[in-house]
Amino acid sequence: MTFTPVIPFPGLQGWTFLSKTIDSQRESLINSSEVKRESEAFRQKIGGIKSAEELVGDRELLSVTLTAFGLESDIDNVFLIKKVLEDGTLSPDALANRFSDKRYLSLSKAFGFGDFDVPRTQLSDFPDEILSAYNTRKFESAVGEQSQDLRLALSFDREILDIVDGGGSDTAKWLEVLGNAPLKSMVERSLFLPSNFGNLPIDKQVTILKEKSNSRLGVSDFENFRDPDVRGKLRVNFLLASQITEGGGLSSASTALNLLQGSATLRF
């Protein structure tokens, strides 16, 4: 049986319902026949995998692996994934370190084929680590089948905190936001930026993001995103905009959005 999440409303109303039911709905996903089958196969076989070549040679294992890191669309890019895994992460020239997309770096670190003599697949808790991430991403993907905006809202904390924890300057972190298309879309819409925002020079975009996140969210430093209240405010702004776009709860949502937005028109 394929799992289908219950999401009766769009936007903020949908998020409120999903937040209240997420534990039971995630449990339903984990117990669905598809996920149980794939999880059991992963547990049984992953301990016998000692090289990147062996991993990419097993499509079932590779599917679970890539889904756990949000890279499921790369299932047929076997040579690329093998190279990312074999190069490891310790060398600055390693392929994973040359991608702006940090999911490849996380993947290579997690398996350790290129970093250690004995890969992390041999650790007793390794299956739990990967399957936990797999279940999370699988649930987000199922939600995305009904609402991409709610999928973004679900993944927001993880994506933004990965950048907070990644080191680098404030400007470098905002550049990472701009390089992450889903996160960029969410931040832009939550700050009520116009559709032509992406046409501006990149340094101007960063300046505006800093100014608007400060005035609307109280973010004077990127570290402020560690505060769940700050992340929650951004998510509410985004979901109210989503609710209006999708036409759900139009009157109350538009009133709230107008109060949040104020005089939000930008002129460049």
Side-chain angles (χ1 to χ4, degrees), residues 13-53:
Q13 291 175 310
W15 174 256
T16 300
F17 179 87
L18 188 59
S19 298
K20 291 178 178 178
T21 62
I22 192 168
D23 289 340
S24 61
Q25 295 213 52
R26 275 177 55 90
E27 192 65 25
S28 294
L29 168 95
I30 291 169
N31 290 321
S32 67
S33 58
E34 175 191 357
V35 171
K36 285 183 72 173
R37 182 182 67 254
E38 292 178 346
S39 297
E40 288 170 3
F42 188 86
R43 286 188 186 280
Q44 290 173 3
K45 295 193 287 186
I46 194 61
I49 299 298
K50 298 180 180 180
S51 70
E53 185 172 5

Side-chain angles (χ1 to χ4, degrees), residues 126-168:
F126 184 76
D128 289 334
E129 176 186 331
I130 300 303
L131 288 174
S132 175
Y134 166 75
N135 290 334
T136 295
R137 297 275 192 170
K138 196 77 171 177
F139 184 74
E140 291 172 2
S141 179
V143 169
E145 292 293 321
Q146 297 189 49
S147 170
Q148 281 297 322
D149 287 339
L150 286 178
R151 181 180 186 174
L152 291 178
L154 274 174
S155 64
F156 174 64
D157 281 358
R158 179 186 66 247
E159 298 292 338
I160 201 74
L161 289 175
D162 279 350
I163 295 177
V164 172
D165 293 337

Side-chain angles (χ1 to χ4, degrees), residues 156-157 160 164 174 186 190-191 213-214 216-237:
F156 174 64
D157 281 358
I160 201 74
V164 172
W174 281 115
M186 188 171 177
S190 72
L191 297 176
S213 64
N214 190 7
R216 301 191 192 288
L217 303 173
V219 175
S220 58
D221 185 284
F222 207 90
E223 282 286 319
N224 296 145
F225 280 114
R226 289 195 187 278
D227 186 342
D229 290 337
V230 172
R231 299 197 304 273
K233 187 174 182 180
L234 186 149
R235 185 161 35 230
V236 165
N237 285 8

Side-chain angles (χ1 to χ4, degrees), residues 10-13 15 149 189-190 192 233-261:
L12 186 58
Q13 291 175 310
W15 174 256
D149 287 339
R189 289 168 64 186
S190 72
F192 316 112
K233 187 174 182 180
L234 186 149
R235 185 161 35 230
V236 165
N237 285 8
F238 168 73
L239 289 168
L240 283 172
S242 167
Q243 193 167 322
I244 290 174
T245 300
E246 296 184 31
L250 183 59
S251 178
S252 59
S254 58
T255 298
L257 186 57
N258 285 334
L259 289 172
L260 285 167
Q261 184 173 356

